[in-house]
């Protein structure tokens, strides 16, 4: 039986993973240092194992901890890992920036959820309410083997499928490609645009539109415009809408906005994510 140590098991993501892994065929060890997290695990009748004890026993270690902590934590635990064991990360940032210790006799595997898609065929109330994924709604995942034998990709993907179940699809990509997806595509671009959508709705309200009308209009148009642009339906945008979009691009977007996908900008973004104190001097 594979022994898995879940580090940060009492945190937000750790709790989600603990729920999906606790009744699996894996021998689970739960590592948590915060009093709140320990109490939450105790409410699930899960006991805590000290970090180094868990590391010494584990075949697989999952770091469910913030990105900014991965470098320091991995520096402590990687030298103590068993030869041939596997370290799993839930985000590509630290791996992409080479913040993991050099050790050739262990494997590094990174996985991240895509989250349930807006357009799906979920029918149950539980699945419709599961907007994050990992409870009832199906979602896809991305996986990357940074180093290690090919057999460890299969091992990591199997665990990832269990962590994020139910699964729609699993995509194998590289660490660099995963970093392109997040932060650049999903957070730097998509997250920014979504925040701007909320700010645009607030501006409409300031112009006198009733708040409920503005919200219904915005959320409804998100659904129909995205369906058209992403090819979900065969209904194209109107000629007038296309004119407004071209005008909006010139008014709202910088002409060189795609530069955020360059290696230089990607490195800069992830460095800021891992060192948030630099943000004020960068902007």
């Amino acid at each position: 039986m594979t022994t898995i140590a879940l580090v940060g098991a009492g945190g937000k993501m750790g709790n989600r993973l603990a729920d999906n892994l606790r009744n699996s065929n894996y021998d689970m060890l739960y590592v948590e240092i915060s009093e709140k997290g320990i109490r939450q695990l105790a409410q699930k009748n899960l006991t805590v194992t000290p970090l180094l004890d868990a590391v010494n026993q584990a075949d697989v270690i999952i770091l469910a901890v913030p990105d900014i902590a991965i470098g320091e934590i991995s520096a402590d635990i990687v030298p103590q890992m068993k030869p041939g064991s596997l370290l799993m990360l839930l985000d590509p940032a630290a791996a992409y920036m080479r913040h993991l210790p050099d050790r050739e006799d262990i494997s590094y595997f990174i996985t991240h959820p895509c989250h349930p898609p807006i357009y799906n065929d979920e029918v149950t109330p539980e699945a419709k309410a599961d907007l994050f994924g990992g409870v009832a709604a199906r979602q896809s995942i991305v996986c990357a083997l940074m180093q290690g034998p090919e057999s460890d990709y299969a091992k990591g993907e199997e665990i990832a499928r269990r962590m994020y179940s139910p699964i729609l699809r699993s995509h194998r990509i590289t660490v660099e490609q995963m970093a392109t997806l997040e932060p650049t595509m999903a957070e730097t671009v998509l997250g920014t645009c979504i925040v701007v959508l909320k700010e645009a709705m607030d501006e409409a309200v300031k112009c006198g539109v009733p708040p409920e009308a503005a919200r219904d209009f915005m959320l409804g148009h998100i659904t129909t415009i995205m369906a058209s642009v992403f090819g979900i339906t065969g209904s194209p945008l109107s000629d007038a809408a296309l004119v407004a979009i071209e005008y909006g691009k010139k008014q709202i977007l910088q002409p060189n906005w795609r530069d955020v996908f360059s290696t230089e900008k990607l490195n800069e973004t992830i460095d800021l994510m891992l060192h948030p104190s630099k943000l004020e001097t960068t902007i």
Side-chain angles (χ1 to χ4, degrees), residues 15 36-48:
N15 261 294
K36 180 181 178 181
I38 293 172
R39 287 196 303 270
Q40 289 179 330
L41 292 173
Q43 291 173 359
K44 301 176 182 182
N45 295 318
L46 301 178
T47 58
V48 172

Side-chain angles (χ1 to χ4, degrees), residues 198-220:
K198 173 59 167 57
E199 292 175 352
M201 186 187 75
D202 293 341
E203 287 299 315
V205 172
K206 289 179 183 178
C207 291
V209 178
E212 289 189 2
R215 184 179 179 86
D216 284 347
F217 207 83
M218 174 63 82
L219 294 181

Side-chain angles (χ1 to χ4, degrees), residues 36-280:
K36 180 181 178 181
I38 293 172
R39 287 196 303 270
Q40 289 179 330
L41 292 173
Q43 291 173 359
K44 301 176 182 182
N45 295 318
L46 301 178
T47 58
V48 172
T49 301
L51 176 60
L52 291 183
D53 288 349
V55 170
N56 290 333
Q57 299 177 57
D59 303 302
V60 177
I61 299 170
I62 303 172
L63 294 186
V65 300
D67 289 340
I68 59 175
I70 288 178
E72 181 179 351
I73 292 176
S74 63
D76 289 337
I77 69 173
V78 166
Q80 308 300 322
M81 291 173 62
K82 297 191 300 185
S85 55
L86 173 67
L87 181 68
M88 291 184 66
L89 306 183
L90 309 182
D91 189 277
Y96 175 82
M97 296 299 284
R98 304 292 172 178
H99 287 184
L100 300 177
D102 290 329
R103 184 172 168 187
E104 295 182 355
D105 63 342
I106 64 170
S107 297
Y108 288 139
F109 184 93
I110 303 94
T111 182
H112 197 81
C114 296
H115 304 299
I118 293 177
Y119 305 102
N120 57 62
D121 56 1
E122 303 292 356
V123 295
T124 67
E126 295 80 9
K128 289 182 177 180
D130 182 18
L131 303 181
F132 188 89
V135 178
R138 292 182 302 163
Q139 65 177 333
S140 296
I141 57 175
V142 290
C143 302
L145 181 65
M146 182 176 179
Q147 71 173 45
E150 185 64 20
S151 58
D152 276 351
Y153 179 84
K155 179 190 293 185
E157 185 189 34
E158 180 181 350
I159 296 170
R161 283 178 172 273
R162 180 71 194 212
M163 292 192 313
Y164 297 129
S165 64
I167 297 299
L168 184 62
R169 286 179 289 273
S170 176
H171 303 281
R172 182 170 186 174
I173 59 178
T174 66
V175 174
E176 291 75 18
Q177 290 168 341
M178 197 181 298
T180 297
L181 294 177
E182 184 159 313
T184 300
M185 187 187 79
E187 295 173 337
T188 307
V189 178
L190 176 61
T192 299
C193 290
I194 290 175
V195 169
V196 169
L197 292 179
K198 173 59 167 57
E199 292 175 352
M201 186 187 75
D202 293 341
E203 287 299 315
V205 172
K206 289 179 183 178
C207 291
V209 178
E212 289 189 2
R215 184 179 179 86
D216 284 347
F217 207 83
M218 174 63 82
L219 294 181
H221 277 73
I222 287 174
T223 299
T224 187
I225 292 175
M226 285 190 64
S228 178
V229 172
F230 280 85
I232 305 299
T233 67
S235 177
L237 295 174
S238 69
D239 291 342
L242 292 174
V243 170
I245 289 169
E246 287 305 312
Y247 174 80
K249 283 183 179 180
K250 294 177 181 179
Q251 293 295 314
I252 299 170
L253 300 180
Q254 302 226 17
N256 62 341
W257 71 266
R258 290 179 177 82
D259 288 353
V260 297
F261 283 90
S262 69
T263 300
E264 177 186 357
K265 294 297 184 182
L266 174 56
N267 291 347
E268 181 180 352
T269 302
I270 295 180
D271 184 56
L272 288 172
M273 292 171 63
L274 297 177
H275 306 92
S277 60
K278 295 182 180 180
L279 186 59
E280 292 184 2

